[in-house]
Amino acid sequence: MNAIRGIGFRLAGSGRALPRSLVPSTDIDARIGAEAGWTEANFGIATRHYAQPDETSSMLGAQAGAVALADADWNAEDLDVLIAACGVMEQPIPGTAPLIQRRLGIGGGGIAAFDVNATCLSFLVALDTMLMGMALGKWRRGLIVSSDIASAALDYGSPEASAIFGDGAAAMAIEAGGPSRMLAMRLSTFGDGADLCRLEAGGTRLRPHDDIEGFLAVSRFRMDGPGLFSATARRFPPFLKRLLADSDMPIGAIDTIIPHQASAAALEHLKRSVPDGHARTVDIFRDHGNQIATGMPHTLHVARTSGRTPPGSHSLLIGTSAGVSLGGAVIRW
Amino acid sequence: MNAIRGIGFRLAGSGRALPRSLVPSTDIDARIGAEAGWTEANFGIATRHYAQPDETSSMLGAQAGAVALADADWNAEDLDVLIAACGVMEQPIPGTAPLIQRRLGIGGGGIAAFDVNATCLSFLVALDTMLMGMALGKWRRGLIVSSDIASAALDYGSPEASAIFGDGAAAMAIEAGGPSRMLAMRLSTFGDGADLCRLEAGGTRLRPHDDIEGFLAVSRFRMDGPGLFSATARRFPPFLKRLLADSDMPIGAIDTIIPHQASAAALEHLKRSVPDGHARTVDIFRDHGNQIATGMPHTLHVARTSGRTPPGSHSLLIGTSAGVSLGGAVIRW
């Protein structure tokens, strides 16, 4: 990681976009047939946004991207690369990056536009990929866009796999050169847990024309919460230890923890796992829920715009995803 | 690109996997109601393989990966990273990389496993990503797997968007250090052409539960062949010129052209666009058709195993994809 460590970058701008509809948890209570207050009491989420059919992944992604570009004082034409880092694509072909590129008005520009996917950790992989390219002189200005519409495939028969999710997009405008450094990044995948979080319908395996009933039966997100916890919790301490060792930073030197907002329980577990975890962790779960790949960059956007990533400070980006994977990065701003 | 140019890699092994069923074009003739010989005469394809429902993207991908690992004389446990570079994922969550990791028997290993997507050019983006990571000391041994099951979503009412496709997987085992160099790589995306090649059903935009008829109506691949040709053909000469300039290699120094196998017409256009194009281009289209993201690494596998990539020789990897994108790389072996 030392080669990356030696190369500076600048987070020049950030943005987010939220669908028009704010959905309070009492709406979810009604939907799942629980008494008012049950969802918030059980899952620690008060509100989230749901996209309407006209609010697509690429539309929200382009909105967030435009905010990030304006924040950076860049034009879309200044970009060399656009990486879409979504949990689920808008449609199978083409990827979401070309769709966002078109909506940003630079669909004739010929920049590199592609997608990366590590479900909820897609942003982390995209950031690593972009910084590698910048370290090697490949790109000068880039945009990473995460956008997810979880509400498109929720099963309200399974409250723990539905009530906690929300929709939205977040984007980061990143420039080569500058004061910031990614000191370490790790992604650690355990495919043995691939069935713990899954959405099966929508790829090459299940063919809706041949068996529409079978297709619809698995066309909503399913999650084995206890299994997921068991697969990730025991692996978290050694993962974090190794990530911090790679960064040559002790946990005490981390000023701000910027997690994927998996669930209130996962965030609480994280906060208890590290000293001063409650004070150092940026938590937007109550208002937004788990926004899949958008969670981490949205939280980074909130941290940045609320003054929690001042120059010279250190942040830990950390999370888990379907796969299952653990991922994290240590950044000096 | 100079930083990448300075770092050596070795293509340590390669492999492919094909579904059991070989489908002659006379079967396609019968399916589309044409007289025997029509498909082959019109599209230049004699046979292709189609996956049966039990032959999934990850299964074929793991088969190809195992062949590549054996060819490299590596164990799966030796890998630091696995990148899935498919055109369409096996299922939306999780990505195809964790599914392949599990099938390779290393699903408990905790290596980095993620997906990249640029439709038919996914392999090129994955190769670039992997070599960047190796150049920066991040990974030592990696596996790239492309696997696509085009036959899952073909519309035989549109012969030009169905008859030419085939299924399969290909994999490359790549090691940091060694004699080979990627001298240049370019990806150039024009999202204005995003509608020219599309598969709309299967992501977050169309919700099968809300409108199953609308979902099914766009759940097969659609392609505007003339539009695609017009969007890419005029951009190809300047793209190739710039790629070669980046590599500091004249076209005459390219020994072997390894294209994505888009169509017989596209291959013929390519061969006519460069001097000695017919002799230098590796063409496997007649036997395999357009295998989406698998096309380029499968062609590389054939080139390699037939002695067309000897040490010191130069190859041009080149292709177009939905997006639309043009992509290419120059490699010195």
Side-chain angles (χ1 to χ4, degrees), chain B:
Chain B
M1 306 299 299
N2 290 327
I4 295 182
R5 186 180 301 181
I7 302 291
F9 74 94
R10 188 169 71 93
L11 177 48
S14 63
R16 74 169 188 192
L18 298 169
R20 294 183 299 272
S21 298
L22 181 73
V23 179
S25 282
T26 46
D27 281 15
I28 307 296
D29 294 330
R31 204 186 277 242
I32 64 181
E35 63 187 45
W38 186 86
T39 294
E40 183 166 353
N42 274 273
F43 297 116
I45 178 172
T47 60
R48 82 285 290 145
H49 288 78
Y50 274 4
Q52 299 301 311
D54 68 299
E55 296 174 301
T56 67
S57 296
S58 64
M59 179 182 133
L60 293 171
Q63 283 178 1
V67 173
L69 290 169
D71 185 35
D73 204 16
W74 296 355
N75 296 314
E77 290 78 8
D78 295 333
L79 295 172
D80 302 310
V81 59
L82 190 161
I83 305 181
C86 307
V88 174
M89 66 288 143
E90 176 163 324
Q91 61 190 47
I93 297 176
T96 311
L99 301 178
I100 293 172
Q101 182 198 24
R102 177 169 61 176
R103 286 182 184 267
L104 286 172
I106 52 170
I111 63 169
F114 58 94
D115 288 50
V116 301
N117 188 290
T119 321
C120 289
L121 293 169
S122 297
F123 172 75
L124 202 62
V125 174
L127 180 63
D128 191 48
T129 302
M130 185 166 285
L131 295 183
M132 290 197 296
M134 289 181 171
L136 293 166
K138 204 175 162 66
W139 304 308
R140 199 174 57 91
R141 287 182 169 177
L143 186 69
I144 302 174
V145 181
S146 292
S147 185
D148 266 311
I149 303 195
S151 67
L154 296 177
D155 173 9
Y156 293 96
S158 172
E160 72 279 11
S162 57
I164 63 171
F165 290 95
D167 304 340
M172 298 287 149
I174 295 167
E175 189 166 44
S180 302
R181 302 282 186 280
M182 185 186 270
L183 303 180
M185 183 275 184
R186 290 194 72 80
L187 177 73
S188 190
T189 302
F190 301 90
D192 284 347
D195 294 340
L196 296 171
C197 285
R198 51 181 163 162
L199 176 57
E200 294 183 77
T204 56
R205 186 162 65 83
L206 297 173
R207 309 180 186 196
H209 295 92
D210 295 346
D211 177 12
I212 186 63
E213 292 307 319
F215 184 88
L216 289 173
V218 292
S219 66
R220 298 186 193 273
F221 177 72
R222 289 183 293 167
M223 182 173 72
D224 172 359
L228 188 62
F229 183 82
S230 135
T232 54
R234 68 189 164 86
R235 287 169 170 143
F236 183 76
F239 176 85
L240 179 60
K241 187 175 175 182
R242 192 156 166 198
L243 174 64
L244 290 167
D246 287 350
S247 75
D248 282 338
M249 299 296 297
I251 185 68
I254 301 296
D255 300 287
T256 308
I257 300 172
I258 297 169
H260 166 54
Q261 309 283 314
S263 68
L267 288 164
E268 184 62 23
H269 182 76
L270 170 65
K271 291 173 190 174
R272 289 177 187 274
S273 301
V274 296
D276 292 322
H278 286 79
R280 291 194 280 174
T281 302
V282 182
D283 184 345
I284 63 171
F285 183 79
R286 179 166 292 277
D287 295 332
H288 299 287
N290 181 334
Q291 294 177 298
I292 321 291
T294 298
M296 189 179 281
H298 186 182
T299 308
L300 173 55
H301 169 75
V302 169
R304 179 175 178 267
T305 52
S306 59
R308 297 187 67 172
T309 59
S313 73
H314 293 88
S315 291
L316 170 69
L317 276 60
I318 192 88
T320 57
S321 76
V324 295
S325 296
L326 290 82
V330 177
I331 295 175
R332 176 181 300 145
W333 298 109

Side-chain angles (χ1 to χ4, degrees), chain A residues 124-147:
Chain A
L124 201 62
V125 174
L127 180 62
D128 191 48
T129 302
M130 185 167 284
L131 295 184
M132 290 198 295
M134 290 180 170
L136 293 167
K138 205 175 162 64
W139 303 308
R140 198 174 59 91
R141 286 183 168 178
L143 186 70
I144 301 174
V145 181
S146 292
S147 185

